Amino acid sequence: MNTLSYKTISANKETVDKKWVVVDASDQILGRLGSKIAKLLRGKYKPNFTPHVDCGDNVIVINADKVKLTGKKWTEKVYIRYTGYPGGQRELTPAQIMAKPNGADKLLRRVVKGMLPKGALGSKLIDNLYIYAGSEHKHEAQHPEKIDINLYK
């Protein structure tokens, strides 16, 4: 019996197959879209997934300004941050974030970042995310593949 066939194969930077994918966010629910994008960035849909390696794809999100939230979440959901100073707790609703310049980018990036691992790996993974409010993006040279995010679980 060949014992070498039972070795666990772990991906590394050289053996990882990274692709470029385009996701259309129009009429998608924010949290569900964010979790699927986080899985794509992490590489969880690939058979050679390795938890401590960046083996995910580069994800381009278009039409991020057309994302939906259910119920009254646009006005009642609150994102909290803390400046570090006394009395420095700040609250923002998704509607307030979207009203700012690059608001769609900030909102979706915040959602996806919360679903990625904390630490150095998560910081590397969030750099593979490119978000655009409109339907145009500047990554045509990478020949990205357009995918239907609804087919992913």
Side-chain angles (χ1 to χ4, degrees), residues 12-147:
N12 57 26
K13 198 188 320 186
E14 290 78 29
T15 62
V16 168
D17 179 34
K18 293 179 76 71
K19 298 185 305 185
W20 285 79
V21 296
V22 175
V23 174
D24 190 4
S26 51
D27 296 327
Q28 297 288 327
I29 297 172
L30 180 65
R32 293 172 191 268
L33 175 70
S35 65
K36 291 174 185 178
I37 290 172
K39 282 185 180 180
L40 280 170
L41 289 170
R42 190 92 199 270
K44 287 218 160 188
Y45 293 117
K46 295 186 176 185
N48 61 346
F49 169 69
T50 307
H52 62 280
V53 177
D54 175 11
C55 53
D57 297 330
N58 295 303
V59 179
I60 303 164
V61 180
I62 57 174
N63 295 321
D65 56 345
K66 297 180 181 143
V67 77
K68 294 192 315 186
L69 283 171
T70 58
K72 300 179 183 177
K73 292 189 190 115
W74 279 115
T75 55
E76 291 186 4
K77 182 170 178 57
V78 176
Y79 289 109
I80 297 175
R81 66 183 177 87
Y82 180 61
T83 64
Y85 289 96
Q89 184 168 317
R90 305 287 186 249
E91 295 180 349
L92 286 172
T93 64
Q96 290 171 329
I97 295 173
M98 285 291 270
K100 293 185 176 196
N102 295 329
D105 181 329
K106 291 176 184 173
L107 181 63
L108 191 58
R109 191 170 297 275
R110 182 178 194 139
V111 168
V112 172
K113 186 177 180 182
M115 298 180 188
L116 290 174
K118 312 308 181 255
L121 180 62
S123 300
K124 277 190 225 168
L125 292 175
I126 200 71
D127 290 339
N128 296 332
L129 178 63
Y130 303 90
I131 303 170
Y132 297 97
S135 60
E136 299 295 321
H137 61 86
K138 58 181 182 180
H139 301 283
E140 292 300 326
Q142 282 76 24
H143 305 293
E145 173 189 344
K146 189 165 175 65
I147 61 169

Side-chain angles (χ1 to χ4, degrees), residues 1-6:
M1 186 156 107
N2 186 3
T3 58
L4 292 176
S5 65
Y6 292 104

